[in-house]
Amino acid sequence: MSFPLPKVPVTLFGMILGLGGLSNGWRTAGRIWQAPAVVGDVLAVLTALIWATLLVLYAGKWFWARDDAVAEARHPVQGFFLALLPVSSMIVAIVLAPMLPYAAWVLCMAGVAGQVVFSAYGMGGIWQGGRTPETTTPVLYMPTVGGGFVSAIALSAFGHADWGILFFGGGFISWIVLESLIVHRLMILPELAPALRTTLGIHLAPPAVGCVAYLSVTAGPPDVMAQMLFGYALFQAAIMIRLVPWLRVQSFTAGFWAYTFAVSALPLAALRFIEKGYAGPVASMALPLFAAANVIIGAILLGTIALLVRGKLLPASVAPVAAAD
């Protein structure tokens, strides 16, 4: 039976992370700089609407294009993007909390539970071995690191920082362990194929999102640990800038949303530093980082709309794992 609606890849849920992070940035900027908080509210509604649309279309794919959905879920790289389902749900819960607190709380708990189940299942699978080098990419951060940090942020947003600390710990230790594995793959083994290079956008995310998570679960002014996380995020950003010519080998696709998780989190962390009473070097970076995040995410959004209008946003099918030349 033919599929009556677009076959939405789960990777498109990456849009929610960037737009939701930008929404939180505008709301924080409204509290500390009197910036128009309505921008954050509009972005929150837009984020929720896109998430709901993607969720309906993706769920439909399991009924009307089940073979494609199964192939995606079993793919050694794309399969780990399924972590975006619970992670994006928690992001939506955070941005909707001021408007629909009870519904947002239910969504938050569903996201946290989904993250735990998927992380345990996914990581338990790869611990059994047999994984090939070309499938070892920063996508492996998504279940445990991304899920753990966002769970910490979400639970703290609903007043449960004590529980959030547990998830921060799980995400932080997982990040340290996985980063050594992934950097070893990047340094020693053949280079990532062009089709996989946008996954490096995820590599920038752990220190930036981790900094936001740490600031969320701790009280008082930002301490040395928070500043160290932010410093490492800046260093990762510098490496990413140096890699721009290498990364641009791949033409623009919706996969570029992978960069927006970190792009939105870095200025959000700086804004949270100011909100917590910090007045050091990080505070002076908040405005330029926030401005840059709006430009970058805005450009990716416009590029995505252009792909949609041209009918080139969605892939025809799940691509095989690309091997390096």
Side-chain angles (χ1 to χ4, degrees):
M1 183 179 294
S2 61
F3 188 61
L5 294 172
K7 298 178 184 179
V8 171
V10 73
T11 52
L12 273 184
F13 282 88
M15 297 176 65
I16 307 307
L17 278 57
L19 292 173
L22 200 60
S23 171
N24 285 325
W26 273 98
R27 284 173 169 169
T28 307
R31 292 194 295 268
I32 63 176
W33 292 332
Q34 289 73 55
V38 66
V39 177
D41 293 339
V42 169
L43 284 170
V45 172
L46 177 63
T47 300
L49 289 175
I50 294 174
W51 172 80
T53 302
L54 291 176
L55 190 63
V56 169
L57 293 175
Y58 180 73
K61 187 167 74 170
W62 279 91
F63 289 98
W64 301 105
R66 188 175 182 83
D67 289 345
D68 290 272
V70 171
E72 182 180 50
R74 292 178 176 174
H75 192 276
V77 176
Q78 295 184 32
F80 276 85
F81 277 110
L82 264 70
L84 286 172
L85 293 172
V87 171
S88 65
S89 298
M90 290 185 283
I91 295 291
V92 172
I94 294 169
V95 300
L96 288 184
M99 306 172 183
L100 301 167
Y102 297 110
W105 169 243
V106 172
L107 186 58
C108 172
M109 293 308 297
V112 170
Q115 178 263 321
V116 171
V117 171
F118 183 78
S119 295
Y121 181 83
M123 299 309 290
I126 65 174
W127 279 18
Q128 297 175 49
R131 194 170 181 86
T132 55
E134 62 268 19
T135 61
T136 301
T137 73
V139 178
L140 294 179
Y141 288 134
M142 284 304 307
T144 55
V145 184
F149 285 160
V150 175
S151 294
I153 297 168
L155 288 167
S156 298
F158 287 95
H160 297 283
D162 51 346
W163 282 93
I165 292 173
L166 304 182
F167 284 92
F168 174 81
F172 183 80
I173 301 301
S174 296
W175 167 37
I176 299 303
V177 173
L178 287 172
E179 175 142 335
S180 62
L181 175 67
I182 292 169
V183 170
H184 177 272
R185 183 262 179 271
L186 294 174
M187 292 174 60
I188 305 299
L189 300 177
E191 67 177 6
L192 285 173
L196 293 175
R197 291 181 191 177
T198 54
T199 63
L200 282 178
I202 303 172
H203 193 73
L204 175 59
V209 180
C211 186
V212 176
Y214 183 77
L215 292 170
S216 298
V217 300
T218 56
D223 58 17
V224 173
M225 179 66 174
Q227 296 173 62
M228 289 170 59
L229 288 169
F230 192 88
Y232 189 57
L234 286 176
F235 176 64
Q236 292 291 309
I239 295 175
M240 208 62 61
I241 292 171
R242 181 259 182 265
L243 290 175
V244 166
W246 184 69
L247 296 170
R248 288 183 63 187
V249 171
Q250 182 184 11
S251 59
F252 180 81
T253 68
F256 277 65
W257 282 99
Y259 295 100
T260 64
F261 196 14
V263 166
S264 64
L266 191 57
L268 177 59
L271 291 167
R272 294 281 173 84
F273 267 76
I274 297 173
E275 192 172 32
K276 282 176 167 279
Y278 176 88
V282 176
S284 64
M285 303 178 198
L287 182 57
L289 287 172
F290 185 56
N294 279 271
V295 171
I296 294 170
I297 295 175
I300 292 175
L301 179 60
L302 291 175
T304 302
I305 294 172
L307 289 177
L308 179 63
V309 171
R310 290 157 49 199
K312 296 183 178 181
L313 178 60
L314 304 179
S317 60
V318 176
V321 177
D325 295 333

